[in-house]
């Protein structure tokens, strides 16, 4: 059963192809009407954008099991057509459907800290201008036809369903929040930085600033300004291209040690200091806004609060409620296992059936040298061709030719300006679009444009598929936990955190493992490849493996 939430607040039943069934149903109290239909039928809700509609439902106490997010689906279909990055909102999609000029998408406001006023559900669904009920229904039907025309419609439907489910989960996690002890956070800051000052940085940063100035023999240098630091090193006869940590670690100068400590603590103070704590933690929870569809690989993002970049030291403030525990599950060696599954390389798949893929590779082909096996496989996925990777890659090419050719082919397509796809059908941006630097291996010089594009597409086919596996895991886990007290509270790339009563923790851990295996089967069918998880049951997030 499909039910569309129309821009005028009515509900319209739809057939699978988008054709209306009967007349729209008036819904004077829209949240109540959606809640009633959800309780009776659990339909798949068709609406403009989950990010706009669902938070208002959650504030009204209404949760739904399934939806079709028109905006996220439009983005996926535009990518398939080689039009990644074009406007994807309801108004733009309807204008495109009718051959009218397409205006840019409206910019959603930056996420506000908790406690700010929120709009109503009707405001959320009626925001797009000049969009009628007939337009919304026609767009859904058009998306179904375009979806059926993709190379692998079954896979693409799974992608659309997972992306829409992810949007529901993102809104629910933002509503639930991550348990956070403000008193512990404050104590950590005072231990590391000293007490907060009425004006200016805390004591430890001031001490380090003085120490850095003394090392350079200067006064008034601001270590938070890279240009000033680079000039100070130049005056000392040392040329550095930037002030990144790995660059500074190679420099022999007395200012380096305090400068590295300053950079770490300054980042902590500005990103997760007392201002952040006062703004983002309310009633013992940190409630950020997660976003989907903005990262080319399909990974999630976050707006406001830095939810995906919680420093390890601050994780000590993420403490489960009394009588509760965190179940923290992190996928082990996910991307190499994905390569084994998508490439169909039997030898690599046999290695990926083991608990430690790198150890299995080492035993079979690298004379027991696990480090060399890891260098080879990561080098193949990221396009690293220098140093220790050269002989290791030669072994990989001989022993696992099918897997090696899979990523080599993706690289060749990219170097020639072509498009590549994830397993389910997410498409990389065209060569003219901004590249997602997050797909590059860290700390390396930027390669020439053609090779950079090839390295991007080489890794895209793996990382985007890994993101799909993680999203399917999350969606199946949400379904498995429905009706229990357990709550999803954090998802970062391939790590998921569940908050649950202590006496249910081991059962939840088993459920997470089962959902990981289910995700593998849903994407890749019958395969030898295993997708094991490192699972910890802890009272503090900092104690997870």
């Amino acid at each position: 059963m499909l039910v569309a939430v129309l821009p005028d607040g009515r509900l319209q039943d739809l057939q699978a192809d988008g054709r209306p069934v009967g007349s729209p149903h008036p819904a004077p109290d829209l949240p109540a009407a959606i809640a009633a239909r959800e309780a009776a039928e659990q339909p798949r809700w068709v609406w403009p954008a989950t990010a706009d509609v669902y938070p208002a439902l959650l504030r009204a106490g209404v949760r739904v099991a399934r939806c079709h997010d028109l905006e996220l689906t439009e983005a996926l279909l535009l990518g398939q057509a080689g039009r990644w990055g074009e406007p994807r909102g309801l108004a733009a999609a309807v204008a495109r459907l009718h051959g009218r000029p397409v205006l840019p998408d409206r910019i959603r406001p930056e996420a506000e800290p908790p406690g700010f006023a929120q709009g109503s559900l009707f405001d959320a669904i009626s925001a797009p201008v000049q969009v009628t009920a007939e337009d919304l229904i026609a767009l859904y039907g058009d998306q179904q036809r375009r979806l059926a025309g993709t190379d692998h419609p079954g896979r693409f439907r799974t992608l659309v369903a997972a992306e829409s489910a992810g949007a529901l989960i993102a809104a629910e996690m933002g509503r639930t929040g991550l348990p956070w002890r403000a008193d512990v956070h404050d104590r950590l800051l005072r231990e590391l930085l000293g007490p907060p000052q009425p004006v200016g940085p805390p004591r430890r940063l001031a001490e380090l600033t003085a120490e850095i100035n003394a090392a350079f023999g200067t006064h008034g240098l601001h270590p938070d300004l890279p240009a000033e630091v680079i000039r100070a090193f130049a005056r000392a006869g040392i040329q550095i291209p930037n002030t990144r940590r790995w660059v500074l670690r190679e420099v022999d100068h007395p200012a380096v040690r305090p400068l590295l400590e300053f950079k770490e603590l300054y980042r902590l103070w500005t990103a997760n200091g007392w201002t952040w704590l006062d703004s983002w933690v309310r009633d013992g929870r940190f409630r950020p806004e997660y976003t989907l569809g903005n990262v080319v690989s399909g990974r999630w993002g976050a707006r406001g609060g830095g939810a995906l970049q919680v420093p390890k030291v601050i994780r000590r403030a993420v403490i489960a409620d009394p009588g509760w525990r965190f179940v923290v599950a992190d996928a082990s060696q996910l991307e190499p296992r994905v390569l084994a599954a998508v490439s169909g390389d039997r030898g690599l798949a046999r290695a990926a059936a083991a608990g430690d893929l790198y150890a299995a590779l080492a035993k079979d082909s690298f004379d027991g040298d696990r480090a060399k096996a890891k260098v080879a496989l990561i080098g193949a996925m990221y396009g690293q061709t220098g140093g220790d990777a050269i002989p290791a890659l030669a072994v990989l090419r001989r022993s696992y030719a099918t897997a090696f050719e899979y990523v080599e082919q993706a690289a060749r397509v990219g170097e020639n300006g072509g498009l590549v796809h994830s397993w389910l059908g997410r498409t990389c941006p065209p060569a003219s679009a901004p590249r997602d630097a997050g797909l590059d291996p860290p700390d390396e010089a930027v390669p020439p444009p053609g090779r950079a594009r090839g390295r991007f597409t080489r890794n895209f086919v793996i990382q985007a598929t890994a993101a799909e596996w993680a999203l399917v895991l999350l969606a199946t886990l949400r379904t498995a936990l429905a009706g229990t007290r357990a709550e999803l509270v954090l998802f970062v790339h391939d790590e998921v955190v569940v908050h649950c009563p202590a006496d249910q923790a081991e059962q939840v851990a088993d459920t997470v493992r089962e959902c990981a295996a289910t995700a593998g089967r849903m994407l890749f069918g019958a395969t030898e490849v295993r997708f094991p998880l490192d699972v910890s049951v802890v009272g503090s997030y900092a104690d997870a493996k």
Side-chain angles (χ1 to χ4, degrees), residues 350-361:
R350 284 194 298 272
D356 187 339
L357 183 151
Y358 298 129
L361 283 183

Side-chain angles (χ1 to χ4, degrees), residues 172-368:
E172 290 167 357
M173 289 201 317
R175 177 71 178 174
T176 299
L178 180 65
W180 202 287
R181 286 278 298 278
D183 60 326
V184 175
H185 189 145
D186 176 70
R187 185 175 71 244
L188 291 170
L189 292 176
R190 290 173 183 270
E191 290 174 358
L192 294 166
L193 299 170
Q197 303 298 309
V199 179
R203 184 187 64 231
R204 183 55 185 156
L205 288 179
E207 293 170 350
L208 288 168
T209 298
E211 191 174 343
I212 293 165
N213 273 272
F216 281 122
T218 59
H219 299 282
L221 183 147
H222 299 86
D224 56 310
L225 300 178
E228 291 192 20
V229 174
I230 291 172
R231 286 196 294 269
F233 275 116
R235 287 192 295 269
I238 300 172
Q239 302 297 323
I240 57 173
N242 55 57
T243 60
R244 296 183 184 277
R245 289 184 180 87
W246 59 86
V247 172
L248 293 176
R249 290 190 185 107
E250 300 298 319
V251 175
D252 183 13
H253 189 278
V256 169
R257 183 200 57 77
L259 187 57
L260 288 173
E261 183 179 351
F262 178 93
K263 287 172 67 67
E264 181 177 354
L265 293 181
Y266 184 80
R267 167 73 179 170
L268 175 64
W269 177 54
T270 55
N272 296 99
W274 289 280
T275 300
W276 181 94
L277 180 61
D278 292 341
S279 299
W280 286 100
V281 177
R282 288 283 189 279
D283 302 321
R285 297 280 172 138
F286 167 41
R287 295 181 174 86
E289 179 183 355
Y290 300 95
T291 62
L292 279 76
N294 296 322
V295 179
V296 298
S297 65
R299 285 181 166 182
W300 284 20
R303 297 195 307 155
L308 306 184
Q309 298 175 333
V310 178
K312 288 185 178 180
V313 65
I314 294 299
R315 293 179 185 182
R316 290 155 59 189
V318 182
I319 298 174
D321 292 343
W324 288 56
R325 293 291 184 271
F326 291 124
V327 177
V328 183
D330 188 14
S332 175
Q333 304 164 342
L334 178 57
E335 291 187 12
R337 294 175 187 279
V338 165
L339 174 58
V342 298
S343 67
D345 189 300
R346 293 183 177 180
L348 189 57
R350 284 194 298 272
D356 187 339
L357 183 151
Y358 298 129
L361 283 183
K363 181 180 179 181
D364 291 346
S365 305
F366 290 89
D367 299 323

Side-chain angles (χ1 to χ4, degrees), residues 278-514:
D278 292 341
S279 299
W280 286 100
V281 177
R282 288 283 189 279
D283 302 321
R285 297 280 172 138
F286 167 41
R287 295 181 174 86
E289 179 183 355
Y290 300 95
T291 62
L292 279 76
N294 296 322
V295 179
V296 298
S297 65
R299 285 181 166 182
W300 284 20
R303 297 195 307 155
L308 306 184
Q309 298 175 333
V310 178
K312 288 185 178 180
V313 65
I314 294 299
R315 293 179 185 182
R316 290 155 59 189
V318 182
I319 298 174
D321 292 343
W324 288 56
R325 293 291 184 271
F326 291 124
V327 177
V328 183
D330 188 14
S332 175
Q333 304 164 342
L334 178 57
E335 291 187 12
R337 294 175 187 279
V338 165
L339 174 58
V342 298
S343 67
D345 189 300
R346 293 183 177 180
L348 189 57
R350 284 194 298 272
D356 187 339
L357 183 151
Y358 298 129
L361 283 183
K363 181 180 179 181
D364 291 346
S365 305
F366 290 89
D367 299 323
D369 191 332
R370 185 183 184 279
K372 186 178 292 185
K374 183 175 181 179
V375 165
L377 203 49
I378 291 177
M381 291 188 297
Y382 281 102
Q384 295 168 297
T385 57
D388 295 339
I390 295 176
L393 284 170
V395 175
L396 191 74
R397 185 192 295 268
R398 289 194 306 270
S399 302
Y400 307 98
T402 302
F404 194 88
E405 176 57 24
Y406 187 88
V407 289
E408 284 288 299
Q409 172 62 20
R412 288 193 294 270
V413 171
E415 290 169 0
N416 292 325
L419 302 177
V420 296
H421 310 278
S422 67
W423 183 252
L424 294 183
R426 190 184 302 274
T427 307
C428 75
S432 58
R435 190 166 50 91
D436 180 4
L439 292 177
D440 283 338
D443 307 356
E444 284 201 352
V446 177
R451 182 165 170 261
R453 172 71 179 173
R455 193 162 72 173
F456 168 76
T457 53
R458 170 195 297 271
N459 190 232
F460 178 90
V461 296
I462 305 303
Q463 191 178 102
T465 303
E468 291 167 352
W469 176 89
L471 191 54
V472 172
L473 161 66
L474 199 63
T476 56
L477 180 59
R478 174 181 183 255
T479 300
L481 296 178
T484 73
R485 297 175 66 195
E487 50 191 19
L488 289 161
V489 292
L490 185 66
F491 175 54
V492 182
H493 304 325
D494 52 12
E495 179 185 77
V496 59
V497 181
V498 181
H499 186 230
C500 65
D503 60 0
Q504 299 175 13
E506 292 302 329
Q507 181 180 350
V508 169
D510 290 340
T511 300
V512 176
R513 294 186 185 97
E514 292 169 3

